[in-house]
């Protein structure tokens, strides 16, 4: 199938438009069906994807504004493939577990539009196309948080929107500068990411452009000083909003680093390793501590989700195949695990309309199935071996060990801190006597909830035990990305003879960027 | 005894005058029809007006590029043609808005439509010449007609608006006259091309007089383009006029004003008179920022849109400051797209217009009126949201393309700080556009009467909204060809 990516992008959007005509009582079923078809297509994409090929596949291209070099240009490689599958999978699951009944038609249609933008971000290979989907994803999310959220939903929704919008406008200026530099050097306008990858930028420009893109991506991730919008958004969002936000939207930021910052500005990326590592470390430690102090179950999970994003950032900037590959794997596992945890919180919230830990206790005896699944997800979240969370976290930290022993050590210790707050949460909620009598009447998971949670459990254990089918394609693409960065760094070196700072940075970059740690042995 | 002057008809090249003549003759025809038969329905005049403008548009499209005519007064260069096309298309969209369901006073008079066509002719004269006197004639024809159109809305606030606009406009006209007088005194010519030549020859001396002329011109055009600090009339005038007219005013006269500004200021900027460049830049940035901040605190959607259009004008003034071909193309691309989006937004206000103010004792369109619209009128709410998102510059809706092209022009000319200011202003602006979306989508309904939003809706209004929404939504499909055409036109006319 030649146009499988276009189908994947636009199927949900077309379905969303047609969905206006579907009766409001059938809209949910309609949306689930569409999401399921979309998921099947993405599985088909995975099956027909050539895992041994590290390049871009299923590429499609036609011009939009040809004189300005803007094209509709999409393609997929090992890095984006699993993020696409994650997107379609989590959208389907979150729609299945949807319990909101008020105005549900508008909600599910927004989710379908959101799915289009999320898939679009991961397959776009043209910077402007990427930006289009990136910005467009804010709109349905604004509506989802703002219309179905908690009491302060409007504030949370606007904060989410404006924060991200402001950051990405800086990124847009960065893109336009990049395009102009490319134009100056080659005489052709182009926004193709693949062309930009080949273009060797002088060191000074790399620094500035890296900073511009960093603001856009870091707000989305969210990196430490820019993270304040996220707890609000999570706290106020409805369950489906939190699930999609944590599972997919945050990954757009980290994906942006892989797609843009690392290959385009390899030297600047190495130059900024330490500041970014320290910010990530603060993100890991600080949010873990904040999480421990929360009384609200959802807030604990929100902060723990930010904390784990810090590990992903560390892995990304490890600049070697283990770290980068592990961090991309961690994006997938974080998507599944944090999505599942938010769904689990949603289950209990639907029953009791509160998320405070103090309102629960002893749930293990009342809701055994629920307690089991919560336990599995929790273990995956803290990174227990043989669960999905372990693989990525281990590889990310292993990768970063190459860069800095101390930071890796502190980050590794924080995983224990993570275990502390998660286990405390579990203890307070599930163990001990049932303190509130009305909790005895709580029903265990019903069939729909089981049906939506069981696949997640299966994936968590399957990929925890046998991650190879996912890791291998990622590894191939990551290695080609890294060797590419190496080449670019070397190409840049020949251009400088006397600029000490630039040469130093390039030298460092050459040392840090390693395709594989055991290269010498080969 | 004076020698008889011999002018051959061919050298007059009357073809360059046909577009304006068509509009003027059409206006006269409407007046004559009214003389012959009374009590004809407004729909007749609307359709007649559309036909006249369509013929006018045809004759503009048939013009050769870079031709002078009529004693070399008329100049049909690329920007003249592009801007006339924008003005005419905008006018064709505007006319059907008279056919609302509710009866409004002004449309009873055929003079309204005649006046409108005179105004269009005036705007066309303004853009299709580089003669300061003819620009003045066009400017005043258009303005006087426009004052009357505003006043015809026949509410107390409209009179206030018309008088306010009139006095301000008179002041601007005086500024313009003084500015041109100084330029004439310096150079002995009223043609911008020759003025530029003469000023260049004398090496821009004496600088004091040139400064005075430039300041007067900036003042005059500043009023017309509602630049800070000459912008204070704008929100009141928009509020007082009917919604479609406010939408019209926010674009078409400004297109004409921008063309004059390009012709006047571009040579000053190009020839390195830096303080003109700097003054314009400061004014443009201030316009953008202050209008944005004021728009944040408005309680009425129409006033909010008024301030937003001031801010957009400031944004576009920066394109003139940058002054490259790319920036000028971006300016017209922006207007071509902005026209549809803004007219659409104002039409959405127009179809929800009531005779009496139901929601607020002062405003016609307070934000509260639109609370919870998604539950009552989902299609209307989605379309209005589409216009707001486009105005905010969310891709892939139309204005985004204009916006990135302007910002990219800034980047190309190494105005990186300016580019960042422009980008961040879009973020500020997003807040007030979102405010309406928040009211429409996230608040509980203020009322259950769905017809409140479509009180004035008729087939023709819905068609206009449909066209505007389609262009806003699908702009990604045709922004490439439009851009190519505009860039070509800019290049041939040397801007």
């Amino acid at each position: 199938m030649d146009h499988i990516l276009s189908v994947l992008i636009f199927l949900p959007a077309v379905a969303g438009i047609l969905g206006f005509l579907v009766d409001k009582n059938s809209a949910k079923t309609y949306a689930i069906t569409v999401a399921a078809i979309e998921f099947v297509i993405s599985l088909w994409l995975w099956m027909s994807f050539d895992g041994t090929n590290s390049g871009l596949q299923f590429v499609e291209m036609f011009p939009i504004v040809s004189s300005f070099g803007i094209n509709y240009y999409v393609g997929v490689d090992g890095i984006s493939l699993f993020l696409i599958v994650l997107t379609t999978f989590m959208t389907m699951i979150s729609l299945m577990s949807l319990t909101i009944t008020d105005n549900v038609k508008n909600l599910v249609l927004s989710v379908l539009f959101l799915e289009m933008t999320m898939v679009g971000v991961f397959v776009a290979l043209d910077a402007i196309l990427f930006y289009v989907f990136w910005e467009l994803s804010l709109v349905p999310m604004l509506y989802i948080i703002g219309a179905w959220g908690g009491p302060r939903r409007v504030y949370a929704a606007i904060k989410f929107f404006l924060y991200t919008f402001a950051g990405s406008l800086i990124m847009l200026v960065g893109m336009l500068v990049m395009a102009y530099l490319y134009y100056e050097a080659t005489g052709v306008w182009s926004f193709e990411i693949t062309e930009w990858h080949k273009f060797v930028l002088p060191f000074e420009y790399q620094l500035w452009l890296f900073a511009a893109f960093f603001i856009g991506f870091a707000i989305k991730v969210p990196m430490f000083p820019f993270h304040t919008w996220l707890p609000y958004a999570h706290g106020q969002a409805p369950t489906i909003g939190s699930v999609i936000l944590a599972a997919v939207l945050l990954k757009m930021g980290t994906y942006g680093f892989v797609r843009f910052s690392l290959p385009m500005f390899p030297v600047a990326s190495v130059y900024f390793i330490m500041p970014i590592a320290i910010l990530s470390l603060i993100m890991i430690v600080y949010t873990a501590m904040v999480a421990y102090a929360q009384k609200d179950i959802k807030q604990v999970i929100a902060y723990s989700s930010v904390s784990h994003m810090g590990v992903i950032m560390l892995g990304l900037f490890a600049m070697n195949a283990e770290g980068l590959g592990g961090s991309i794997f961690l994006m997938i596992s974080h998507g599944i695990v944090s999505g599942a945890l938010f769904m689990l919180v949603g289950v209990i919230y639907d029953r009791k309309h509160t998320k405070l830990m103090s309102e629960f206790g002893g749930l293990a005896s009342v809701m055994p199935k629920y307690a089991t699944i919560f336990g599995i997800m929790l273990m995956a979240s803290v990174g227990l071996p043989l669960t999905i969370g372990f693989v990525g976290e281990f590889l990310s930290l292993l990768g970063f060990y190459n860069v800095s022993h101390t930071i890796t050590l502190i980050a590794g210790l924080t995983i224990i801190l993570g275990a502390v707050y998660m286990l405390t949460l579990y203890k307070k909620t599930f163990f001990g006597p049932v303190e509130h009598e009305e909790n005895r009447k709580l029903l265990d998971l019903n069939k729909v909830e089981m049906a939506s949670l069981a696949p997640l459990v299966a994936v968590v254990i399957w990929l925890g035990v046998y991650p190879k089918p996912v890791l291998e394609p990622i590894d191939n693409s990551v290695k080609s990305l890294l060797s590419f960065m190496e080449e670019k760094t070397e190409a840049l070196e020949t251009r400088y003879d006397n600029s000490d700072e630039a040469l130093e940075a390039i030298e460092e970059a050459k040392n840090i960027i390693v395709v594989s740690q055991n290269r010498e042995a080969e | 005894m004076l020698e008889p002057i011999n002018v051959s008809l061919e050298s007059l090249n009357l073809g360059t005058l046909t577009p304006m003549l068509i509009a003027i003759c059409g206006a006269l025809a409407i007046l004559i029809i009214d003389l012959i038969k009374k009590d004809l329905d407004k729909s007749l005049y609307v359709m007649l007006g559309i036909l006249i403008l369509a013929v006018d548009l045809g004759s503009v499209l048939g013009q050769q590029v870079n031709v002078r005519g009529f004693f070399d007064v008329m100049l049909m260069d690329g920007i003249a043609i592009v801007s006339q096309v924008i003005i005419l298309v905008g006018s064709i969209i505007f006319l059907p808005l008279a056919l609302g369901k509710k009866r409004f006073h002004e449309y009873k008079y055929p003079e309204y439509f005649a006046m409108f066509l005179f105004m269009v002719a005036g705007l066309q004269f303004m853009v299709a010449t580089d003669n300061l006197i003819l620009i003045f004639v066009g400017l005043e024809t258009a303005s006087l007609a426009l004052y009357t159109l505003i006043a015809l809305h026949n509410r107390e606030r409209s009179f206030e608006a018309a008088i306010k606009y009139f006095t301000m406009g008179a002041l601007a006209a005086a500024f313009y006259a003084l500015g041109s007088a100084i330029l004439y005194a310096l150079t002995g010519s009223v043609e911008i091309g020759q003025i530029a030549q003469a000023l260049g020859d004398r090496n821009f001396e004496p600088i004091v007089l040139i400064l005075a002329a430039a300041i007067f011109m900036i003042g005059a055009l500043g009023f017309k383009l509602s630049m800070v600090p000459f912008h204070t009339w704008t929100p009141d005038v928009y509020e007082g006029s009917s919604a479609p007219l406010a939408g019209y005013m926010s674009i078409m006269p400004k297109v004409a004003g921008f063309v004059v500004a390009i012709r006047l200021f571009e040579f000053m900027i190009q020839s390195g008179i830096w303080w003109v460049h700097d003054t314009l830049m400061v004014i443009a940035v201030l316009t953008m920022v202050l209008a944005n901040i004021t728009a944040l605190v408005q309680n009425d959607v129409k006033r909010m849109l008024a301030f937003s259009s001031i801010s957009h004008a400031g944004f576009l003034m920066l394109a003139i400051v940058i002054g490259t071909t790319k920036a000028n193309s971006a300016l017209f691309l922006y207007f071509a797209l902005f026209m549809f989006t803004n007219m659409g937004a104002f039409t959405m206000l127009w179809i929800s217009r009531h005779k009496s103010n139901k929601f607020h004792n002062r405003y016609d369109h307070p934000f509260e009126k639109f609370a919870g619209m998604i539950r009552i009128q989902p299609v209307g709410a989605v379309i209005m949201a589409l216009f707001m998102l486009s105005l905010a510059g969310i891709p892939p809706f139309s204005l985004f393309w204009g916006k990135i092209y302007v910002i990219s022009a800034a980047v190309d000319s190494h105005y990186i700080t300016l580019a960042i200011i422009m980008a961040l202003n879009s973020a500020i602006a997003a807040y007030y556009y979102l405010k309406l979306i928040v009211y429409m989508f996230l608040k509980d309904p203020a009322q259950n009467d769905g017809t409140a939003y479509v009180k004035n809706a008729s087939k023709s209004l819905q068609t206009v909204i449909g066209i505007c929404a389609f262009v806003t939504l699908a702009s990604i499909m045709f922004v490439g060809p439009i851009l190519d055409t505009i860039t070509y036109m800019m290049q041939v006319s040397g801007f």
Side-chain angles (χ1 to χ4, degrees):
Chain A
M1 225 169 115
D2 286 339
H3 296 289
I4 186 165
L5 290 182
S6 293
V7 173
L8 212 49
I9 298 174
F10 293 110
L11 175 76
V14 173
I17 292 167
L18 292 180
F20 275 109
L21 304 173
V22 174
D23 179 72
K24 61 175 183 281
N25 294 321
S26 318
K28 189 181 152 191
T29 320
Y30 171 76
I32 295 173
T33 318
V34 172
I37 296 171
E38 178 86 352
F39 177 57
V40 171
I41 298 176
S42 70
L43 283 184
W44 185 2
L45 178 75
W46 185 3
M47 290 308 129
S48 33
F49 183 87
D50 177 8
T52 53
N53 180 347
S54 62
L56 292 159
Q57 301 178 30
F58 305 102
V59 173
E60 286 173 46
M61 167 135 100
F62 69 82
I64 297 177
V65 187
S66 43
S67 57
F68 197 36
I70 302 174
N71 299 312
Y72 173 82
Y73 180 29
V74 294
V76 67
D77 65 359
I79 298 167
S80 50
L81 172 69
F82 296 104
L83 288 166
I84 296 166
V85 178
L86 172 75
T87 307
T88 56
F89 181 58
M90 290 311 288
T91 311
M92 180 182 74
I93 297 277
S94 64
L95 278 171
M96 276 164 66
S97 69
L98 186 64
T99 50
I100 295 169
T101 50
D102 174 39
N103 214 355
V104 66
K105 181 172 158 187
N106 291 358
L107 177 60
V108 293
L109 296 185
S110 324
V111 172
L112 288 180
F113 281 115
L114 187 58
E115 185 172 18
M116 167 193 83
T117 63
M118 295 186 298
V119 174
V121 163
F122 293 130
V123 299
L125 291 176
D126 183 279
I128 295 294
L129 191 69
F130 174 87
Y131 185 79
V132 166
F133 287 121
W134 171 278
E135 290 287 46
L136 211 50
S137 72
L138 301 179
V139 180
M141 202 61 200
L142 171 89
Y143 185 36
I144 292 172
I145 298 178
W148 290 275
R152 299 205 63 197
R153 56 183 191 266
V154 173
Y155 175 76
I158 291 190
K159 190 169 183 175
F160 157 75
F161 189 100
L162 289 182
Y163 234 101
T164 331
F165 190 52
S168 36
L169 280 166
I170 302 286
M171 180 176 81
L172 177 66
V173 175
M175 283 175 180
L176 292 171
V177 173
M178 182 73 196
Y180 174 64
L181 293 174
Y182 183 87
Y183 169 74
E184 262 202 335
T186 62
V188 190
W189 283 100
S190 174
F191 285 91
E192 284 165 37
I193 298 174
T194 44
E195 288 298 314
W196 286 4
H197 283 182
K198 288 176 207 150
F199 175 52
V200 183
L201 265 181
F203 174 64
E204 296 76 20
Y205 288 127
Q206 283 201 16
L207 292 186
W208 283 106
L209 285 175
F210 183 89
F213 279 85
F214 178 79
I215 293 173
F217 297 140
I219 289 178
K220 197 87 175 185
V221 169
M223 290 286 284
F224 162 65
F226 310 115
H227 71 287
T228 52
W229 62 269
L230 185 70
Y232 247 106
H234 271 315
Q236 301 300 322
T239 304
I240 188 166
S242 294
V243 171
I244 294 179
L245 188 61
V248 187
L249 284 191
L250 303 188
K251 307 300 173 299
M252 288 184 187
T254 44
Y255 173 77
F257 279 111
V258 186
R259 197 44 99 214
F260 286 87
S261 301
L262 296 185
M264 272 157 55
F265 324 116
V267 182
S269 302
V270 175
Y271 187 81
F272 285 117
I273 273 190
M274 272 306 138
I276 288 175
I278 287 166
L279 284 182
S280 311
L281 195 62
I282 296 175
M283 196 167 143
I284 300 172
V285 180
Y286 169 74
T287 47
M289 276 153 57
V290 176
Y292 185 66
Q294 299 299 313
K295 297 186 176 68
D296 184 309
I297 304 177
K298 200 171 181 189
Q299 289 291 348
V300 177
I301 291 165
Y303 280 105
S304 94
S305 151
V306 180
S307 180
H308 285 102
M309 290 306 282
V311 183
I312 296 183
M313 286 304 294
L314 273 190
L316 282 187
F317 281 84
M319 304 284 172
N320 51 45
E322 287 75 16
L324 197 48
S327 125
I328 291 163
F329 189 85
L330 188 54
M331 287 186 211
I332 316 287
S333 70
H334 180 268
I336 290 169
V337 172
S338 65
L341 284 169
F342 278 115
M343 275 166 61
L344 286 163
V345 178
V347 167
I348 195 86
Y349 182 71
D350 283 341
R351 286 170 176 55
K352 267 212 84 178
H353 294 283
T354 177
K355 293 172 286 189
L356 290 177
M357 270 185 262
S358 54
E359 290 292 317
F360 300 104
L363 285 187
S365 58
V366 187
M367 306 168 71
K369 285 186 218 160
Y370 178 71
T372 317
I373 293 184
F374 204 113
I376 294 171
M377 288 304 165
L378 189 133
M379 291 307 157
S381 167
V382 301
L384 189 80
L386 291 186
T387 63
I388 195 170
F390 172 74
V391 184
E393 222 155 86
F394 175 74
L395 284 176
S396 297
L397 292 178
L398 180 71
F400 204 78
Y401 189 74
N402 215 21
V403 180
S404 160
H405 301 335
T406 338
I407 289 180
T408 316
L409 210 63
I410 304 173
L413 287 174
T414 333
I415 292 181
I416 302 174
L417 198 62
V420 172
Y421 63 78
M422 284 308 251
L423 290 173
T424 320
L425 166 77
Y426 199 73
K427 189 192 95 188
K428 282 187 191 161
T429 321
F430 290 97
F431 295 148
V434 181
E435 278 164 17
H436 300 270
E437 278 307 312
E438 71 272 19
N439 282 354
R440 283 192 195 286
K441 296 197 200 91
L442 289 179
L443 297 173
D444 206 347
L445 296 177
N446 60 29
K447 277 182 190 146
V448 176
E449 286 157 349
M450 270 314 271
S452 42
L453 286 166
L456 294 173
V457 175
V459 172
V460 162
I461 293 175
W462 167 46
L463 288 182
V465 178
Y466 187 63
K468 198 171 161 236
V470 173
L471 264 182
E472 211 170 52
I474 291 180
D475 202 47
N476 279 333
S477 291
V478 160
K479 275 185 181 142
S480 91
L481 182 84
L482 284 166
S483 57
F484 189 72
M485 287 167 68
E486 253 185 347
E487 281 167 30
K488 256 181 101 166
T489 315
E490 274 159 23
L492 188 61
E493 193 181 19
T494 54
R495 295 203 194 165
Y496 286 91
D497 339 300
N498 47 14
S499 167
D500 287 342
E501 201 192 358
L503 272 182
E504 234 170 71
I506 293 169
E507 205 51 49
E508 199 190 336
K510 277 173 72 185
N511 287 335
I512 298 238
I513 301 172
V514 251
V515 177
S516 175
Q517 285 187 357
N518 48 13
R519 194 169 45 151
E520 282 109 58
E522 277 170 14
Chain B
M1 185 162 156
L2 285 171
E3 289 288 313
I5 307 169
N6 276 320
V7 183
S8 75
L9 208 54
E10 259 165 46
S11 73
L12 276 183
N13 202 356
L14 286 174
T16 52
L17 271 179
T18 38
M20 300 81 182
L21 286 180
I22 289 170
I24 291 171
C25 293
L28 293 174
I30 286 179
L31 291 177
I32 291 168
I33 291 172
D34 176 50
L35 273 182
I36 296 169
K37 195 162 171 8
K38 295 278 172 204
D39 299 325
L40 289 167
D41 190 63
K42 60 186 175 182
S43 54
L44 169 93
Y45 298 113
V46 170
M47 293 308 151
L48 217 51
I50 292 178
L51 279 179
I52 293 162
L53 290 173
V55 177
D56 193 345
L57 182 62
S59 80
V60 169
L61 292 175
Q63 294 284 336
Q64 281 173 307
V65 186
N66 275 350
V67 177
R68 282 185 174 274
F70 203 70
F71 304 104
D72 285 354
V73 171
M74 304 298 294
L75 170 61
M76 277 289 169
D77 58 356
I79 49 173
I81 292 176
V82 169
S83 55
Q84 285 187 73
V85 169
I86 294 176
I87 290 170
L88 289 171
V89 172
S91 307
I92 291 176
I93 297 177
F94 169 78
L95 272 178
L97 301 182
L99 299 176
K101 216 181 247 169
K102 299 268 157 196
R103 294 165 160 275
F104 284 94
H105 176 78
E106 62 257 50
Y107 303 126
K108 274 195 313 214
Y109 304 105
E111 287 85 352
Y112 183 89
F113 300 97
M115 207 77 86
F116 179 74
L117 291 176
F118 281 131
M119 177 178 72
V120 173
L123 294 175
Q124 284 183 285
F125 270 121
M126 242 172 112
V127 298
T129 176
D130 68 343
N131 185 304
L132 288 176
I133 294 176
L134 196 56
I135 291 177
F136 193 39
V137 172
L139 183 75
E140 284 310 290
T141 316
S143 304
L144 284 170
L146 188 53
Y147 306 142
T148 326
L149 293 183
I150 296 170
L152 273 174
H153 194 44
N154 198 26
R155 304 169 76 210
E156 241 172 77
R157 211 172 288 286
S158 323
F159 299 142
E160 183 199 320
I163 296 291
K164 203 170 216 168
Y165 196 18
F166 174 71
T167 38
M168 292 294 188
L171 196 58
F175 277 2
Y176 183 88
L178 283 167
S180 342
I182 295 175
L183 285 177
Y184 179 68
L186 282 171
T187 61
S189 172
V190 286
E191 266 179 46
I192 294 174
Q194 288 174 13
I195 292 175
Q197 184 81 40
L199 286 182
D201 287 346
R202 58 195 296 173
N203 220 357
F204 293 95
E205 292 289 333
I207 196 73
V208 184
L209 283 181
I210 296 177
L211 186 143
I215 292 291
F216 278 131
M217 283 302 182
I218 290 175
L221 290 171
F223 272 116
K224 287 292 158 197
L225 301 175
S226 61
M227 293 285 143
V228 169
F230 313 108
H231 69 293
T232 44
W233 57 272
T234 323
D236 296 340
V237 171
Y238 284 20
E239 201 190 330
S241 19
S242 66
L245 197 58
Y248 189 86
M249 268 195 290
S250 70
I251 301 157
M252 311 316 153
K254 284 192 184 169
V255 175
F258 269 110
V259 171
V260 177
I262 290 181
R263 292 193 195 281
L264 259 179
F265 298 134
E266 209 76 330
F267 82 83
M268 298 190 185
I269 292 171
Q270 300 298 347
S271 51
I273 313 183
W274 279 103
W275 51 264
V276 173
H277 173 270
D278 294 346
T279 317
L280 281 177
M281 175 132 66
V282 170
I283 286 180
V285 170
L286 278 181
T287 305
M288 198 163 70
V289 176
L290 291 181
N292 260 341
I293 291 170
T294 328
L296 291 178
V297 295
Q298 299 302 316
N299 297 317
D300 181 73
V301 178
K302 209 160 149 199
R303 282 184 80 88
M304 180 272 275
L305 285 175
F307 279 107
S308 107
S309 80
I310 299 176
S311 162
H312 283 284
F315 187 84
L316 290 172
M317 198 54 167
L318 287 174
I320 293 189
V321 174
I322 296 161
T324 54
T325 305
K326 188 172 180 182
N328 289 332
S329 318
L331 182 126
F332 286 101
L333 175 70
Y334 198 94
F335 263 121
L337 301 167
F338 187 41
M339 171 171 77
F340 286 101
T341 306
N342 219 27
M343 282 305 281
F346 276 102
T347 312
M348 284 304 289
L349 298 183
W350 185 231
I351 64 164
S352 66
R353 174 74 150 70
H354 295 250
K355 283 278 184 182
S356 54
N357 288 350
K358 202 168 143 194
F359 296 93
H360 194 280
N361 50 17
R362 173 169 169 200
Y363 300 127
D364 286 335
H365 310 287
F367 280 99
E368 291 77 24
K369 178 176 174 179
F370 298 93
M373 190 172 166
I374 181 71
R375 306 235 177 161
I376 303 160
Q377 256 291 321
V379 179
V382 168
I383 290 179
M384 190 67 174
L386 176 71
F387 292 137
M388 289 301 123
L389 292 175
S390 172
L391 287 174
I394 306 278
F397 308 123
S398 54
L399 272 191
F400 167 73
W401 303 106
K403 215 159 236 177
I404 58 164
Y405 212 59
V406 177
I407 295 180
S408 173
V411 167
D412 294 358
S413 312
H414 305 280
Y415 291 106
I416 304 290
T417 327
L418 201 59
I420 291 174
I421 293 175
M422 288 157 120
L424 286 181
N425 259 287
S426 301
I428 302 175
Y431 181 81
Y432 53 80
Y433 297 124
L434 275 188
K435 193 167 152 190
L436 182 58
I437 294 181
V438 163
Y439 270 95
M440 288 192 304
F441 283 75
L442 310 184
K443 302 252 173 178
D444 290 328
Q447 34 137 42
N448 289 317
D449 179 14
T451 57
Y453 301 116
V454 287
K455 271 273 190 294
N456 195 20
S458 64
K459 280 275 177 310
S460 58
L461 265 65
Q462 284 163 348
T463 313
V464 169
I465 290 175
I467 293 170
C468 292
F470 174 77
V471 174
T472 306
L473 189 65
S475 55
I476 189 167
M477 307 284 180
F478 42 75
V479 75
I482 293 181
L483 184 62
D484 291 343
T485 317
I486 292 177
T487 311
Y488 166 74
M489 287 295 191
M490 291 301 126
Q491 272 164 351
V492 291
S493 49
F495 284 100

